[in-house]
Amino acid sequence: MTNLMQLHVEKHLPNLWKEGALFAFSGYDGPTESRSQFVATLGASGYSLLFHTPQRRMLTFEASQPGDVRIATGDVLLTELEDGEILAVYHSWHTLIGLAPLTFNLDLSFEKSDEGTAWTDNNQFITEATNGQGAVVLIRDRERWALAYGKQV
């Protein structure tokens, strides 16, 4: 791991990034909002998260090579790759934060293209539901990123 991450990774932590595993904010860490449905499952291909909001969205880390998954729990994901680490952790029920190497593209999209509009504004990637009932915004600053959910942009 790089100096950016001074994590002590125990050998007994779960380390399988497999399709369908639950990824959500823990009520241990603060108040939750289950009605928002801002809960994800691990995606089927590569390193991706499928968010189960009313209009489902995908966050994809486009890696050119496979990595070594170090931690895959319900609210923390850490994968080591040749170019650096992919880290995703829930900060609150509506916000994820993390790291990804600059060589990786992060892609935020709707699972089905007719469920809303998606656009880019500077370093912000925005998806807004067609019915105006929910927006997800991805912001990237070098290797740091944040993904936030709200009722509107």
Side-chain angles (χ1 to χ4, degrees), residues 21-27 29 38-41 73-76 90 92-93:
L22 181 64
F23 190 66
F25 184 68
S26 169
D29 298 325
F38 190 61
V39 172
T41 51
T73 66
D75 59 0
V76 176
Y90 270 89
S92 60
W93 72 265

Side-chain angles (χ1 to χ4, degrees), residues 30-99:
T32 62
E33 177 56 62
S34 60
R35 289 176 294 167
S36 75
Q37 300 174 322
F38 190 61
V39 172
T41 51
L42 302 186
S45 60
Y47 302 109
S48 61
L49 295 168
L50 174 62
F51 290 91
H52 295 268
T53 53
Q55 288 77 31
R56 294 167 27 146
R57 293 156 171 95
M58 293 288 299
L59 175 64
T60 305
F61 301 88
E62 296 177 1
S64 59
Q65 77 277 2
D68 191 12
V69 178
R70 295 294 185 192
I71 302 173
T73 66
D75 59 0
V76 176
L77 298 169
L78 174 64
T79 300
E80 289 181 342
L81 299 114
E82 188 175 303
D83 292 345
E85 294 88 21
I86 295 174
L87 172 68
V89 61
Y90 270 89
H91 175 267
S92 60
W93 72 265
H94 54 77
T95 306
L96 273 82
I97 57 174
L99 298 171

Side-chain angles (χ1 to χ4, degrees), residues 116-139:
T117 57
W119 71 94
T120 302
D121 183 15
N122 292 325
N123 284 336
Q124 299 178 42
F125 305 92
I126 302 162
T127 60
E128 185 173 28
T130 301
N131 62 7
Q133 300 278 323
V136 176
V137 177
L138 170 66
I139 298 174

